Amino acid sequence: MIPKNHPRYESLILRDKVKNAFIEGYLADTGMIAHGRGETFDYLIGEETVDSAYKAIEAAVALILLADNSVLSVNGNVTALAIDEIIELARETDSQIEINLFYRTEKRVDKIAELFKDHGYDNILGTNDDDLYYFDKINNPRATASLRGIYIADVILVPLEDGDRAELLKNAGKKIICIDLNPLSRTSEMSDISIVDNVVRAIPLMSKIAHEYKNKDKRFLENIVENFNNEENLKKSLNSFKIQKL
C-alpha cells in the first residue's frame, strides 16, 4: 500500500498500474521501460501541462472534431494508465478506438478488448476477430489497421506511439496527433500535432475541451488548426524543460 502522503504518490500509482498490466499479461516488458523513459521527461517539464502542451491539445481537439473518421489508437500502456479517460474522449469526439500493439499477440489483444468491454466500451476495433489490413512497408504485426478504423481514418490520435508507425500512417495520408513526452522523438517530429504531456493529464483535458468545442461552428475549429504550427510549438516545449533554468 502506497501512503497518500508520499511525495511521489501519483508517480508511484502510475508505476503500479504499469507493473500490474505486465503481470496481467497485456503489457510487454518493454512497455515498462517506455513508461520509465516517459517519466524522466515528465520530471523535466515539472509534471504539469505546460502552455505549449495546452495549445497543442486545443489544436488536436479541433482537428479531431473536424474529422470525418477519427480513431484513437491504444496499446497496453494507454490501457493501463487511461482506459476510462480514452473511452470518455471517444464519446466526446464521436471517435472510434482501435487496438494496436508493438508486440502483438492474441492473448494481449483479447485481454485489452476484454478490459474495454468491462469498462463499458463494446465496439473496440483491431481485435483478433476484426478485418485487418497489413500496410506493406512495415513487415510486422504493428503494421495492421482495421478496415473499419485506422485504414479509412483521416485523423488518428496515437498516444505513446513509435516513429515507424507514425511515419507509416503519415505517408498513408493520415493526419497524426501524438501524445509523447519526448519532443525530440521521431514520433513528435512526424506528427501534425504533438502533445508533449503525460497521457493521464492530456487525455482528460482533451475531453474537457472537446465538450466545450463540439458545439462551436466549423470556422472556429478551423482557425485553431490553421493557427497552430507544430514545429514552433515543439521548440516551445523544449524551452519548458526545467533543466534549461538550472
Side-chain angles (χ1 to χ4, degrees):
M1 179 69 69
I2 303 170
K4 289 190 175 181
N5 63 351
H6 192 288
R8 301 296 307 154
Y9 176 77
E10 295 296 337
S11 178
L12 292 174
I13 288 294
L14 296 183
R15 291 183 196 177
D16 204 47
K17 287 182 177 181
V18 169
K19 177 202 71 177
N20 290 337
F22 172 70
I23 292 172
E24 292 170 24
Y26 66 92
L27 180 73
D29 52 4
T30 52
M32 294 189 288
I33 297 171
H35 178 77
R37 184 174 62 240
E39 190 176 65
T40 301
F41 283 98
D42 207 10
Y43 290 162
L44 295 176
I45 60 172
E47 297 176 293
E48 62 182 1
T49 301
V50 297
D51 184 63
S52 54
Y54 189 87
K55 294 295 184 186
I57 287 170
E58 287 184 310
V61 169
L63 185 61
I64 292 172
L65 291 173
L66 287 167
D68 292 320
N69 295 290
S70 54
V71 175
L72 316 180
S73 177
V74 297
N75 59 14
N77 289 73
V78 176
T79 302
L81 297 173
I83 185 169
D84 291 321
E85 291 79 4
I86 205 80
I87 291 171
E88 178 65 17
L89 180 59
R91 289 171 175 161
E92 287 287 357
T93 59
D94 195 25
S95 300
Q96 297 190 88
I97 302 175
E98 181 169 334
I99 300 169
N100 189 268
L101 306 180
F102 191 88
Y103 297 104
R104 184 183 177 97
T105 67
E106 289 190 4
K107 179 182 177 181
R108 288 194 181 109
V109 171
D110 283 343
K111 181 61 178 178
I112 290 173
E114 179 185 345
L115 284 168
F116 272 88
K117 186 174 183 179
D118 290 345
H119 284 251
Y121 190 86
D122 297 325
N123 301 315
I124 196 161
L125 303 175
T127 66
N128 293 315
D129 298 324
D130 200 353
D131 291 325
L132 301 178
Y133 174 85
Y134 284 77
F135 290 105
D136 59 8
K137 292 185 180 179
I138 295 184
N139 188 26
N140 66 41
R142 194 74 193 282
T144 60
S146 171
L147 293 176
R148 297 178 291 136
I150 285 177
Y151 185 65
I152 62 170
D154 52 346
V155 175
I156 307 170
L157 174 69
V158 288
L160 311 180
E161 188 60 89
D162 73 279
D164 284 350
R165 175 77 173 175
E167 184 174 7
L168 173 73
L169 295 174
K170 178 86 171 183
N171 290 339
K174 318 295 185 181
K175 291 288 186 181
I176 306 301
I177 301 163
C178 76
I179 303 176
D180 191 333
L181 278 159
N182 179 5
L184 298 172
S185 72
R186 192 150 65 95
T187 303
S188 291
E189 293 178 350
M190 289 299 305
S191 296
D192 297 278
I193 299 174
S194 304
I195 302 169
V196 180
D197 200 8
N198 195 315
V199 292
V200 301
R201 294 190 301 269
I203 294 175
L205 185 52
M206 291 178 76
S207 291
K208 180 180 178 181
I209 294 174
H211 186 74
E212 176 187 349
Y213 281 8
K214 64 184 180 182
N215 294 319
K216 299 287 188 181
D217 62 64
K218 183 177 180 180
R219 192 57 201 151
F220 172 87
L221 300 173
E222 289 173 340
N223 279 333
I224 294 175
V225 175
E226 289 169 4
N227 290 325
F228 180 81
N229 184 300
N230 199 52
E231 185 177 352
E232 290 181 3
N233 205 61
L234 282 174
K235 290 178 181 177
K236 291 178 181 177
S237 297
L238 278 170
N239 290 333
S240 298
F241 280 19
K242 304 304 180 184
I243 195 170
Q244 302 266 355
K245 302 176 183 178
L246 296 179

